Amino acid sequence: MIIMTSRQQILKLYKTMLRESQKFPSYNFKQYAVRRVHDAFKENRSLTDAKFIENQLKEAYRNLDIIKRQVIIGQLYSTEKLVIENIEKNKK
């Protein structure tokens, strides 16, 4: 069964994944997750095969669940902020 997806649904998923990635308490994990989400969507933006797009979306939803779980685990074991995080906070 192929579910037709719209551009809005894909953009919503992209924004949700970026928003969830920003919740990582660890600076390194946060930057890595944001970069991976951005790169994955950029890499797949020119896809045209509906079945392949559907498979990629299913994988993205699985990855979103992983991100959510890892954020929770990261919050359980929080550490001190890095120097760079304090510098970024002061700039805002």
Side-chain angles (χ1 to χ4, degrees):
M1 178 173 103
I2 296 178
I3 301 170
M4 296 305 290
T5 56
S6 68
R7 181 175 172 85
Q8 290 81 17
Q9 289 172 316
I10 294 170
L11 288 174
K12 182 179 177 184
L13 174 61
Y14 174 69
K15 289 178 183 180
T16 302
M17 291 182 81
L18 287 177
R19 195 174 314 110
E20 288 298 318
S21 296
Q22 289 292 334
K23 293 180 182 178
F24 275 107
S26 168
Y27 176 81
N28 291 327
F29 285 123
K30 183 185 310 181
Q31 294 302 317
Y32 176 76
V34 168
R35 188 175 58 246
R36 284 294 299 134
V37 168
H38 178 72
D39 290 347
F41 275 83
K42 186 177 180 181
E43 179 181 316
N44 291 314
R45 81 172 138 190
S46 62
L47 295 178
T48 56
D49 182 27
K51 189 157 184 87
F52 192 69
I53 291 171
E54 189 63 33
N55 289 337
Q56 291 299 93
L57 281 173
K58 287 178 185 177
E59 181 69 22
Y61 280 111
R62 281 192 293 273
N63 287 332
L64 177 59
D65 288 339
I66 291 170
I67 290 170
K68 287 179 179 180
R69 274 195 309 270
Q70 288 304 118
V71 165
I72 292 170
I73 291 170
Q75 290 170 346
L76 292 173
Y77 302 102
S78 62
T79 59
E80 277 188 48
K81 297 287 184 190
L82 298 175
V83 172
I84 193 160
E85 290 176 286
N86 292 330
I87 291 171
E88 287 180 353
K89 192 179 214 180
N90 291 336
K91 286 183 179 179
K92 290 182 180 179

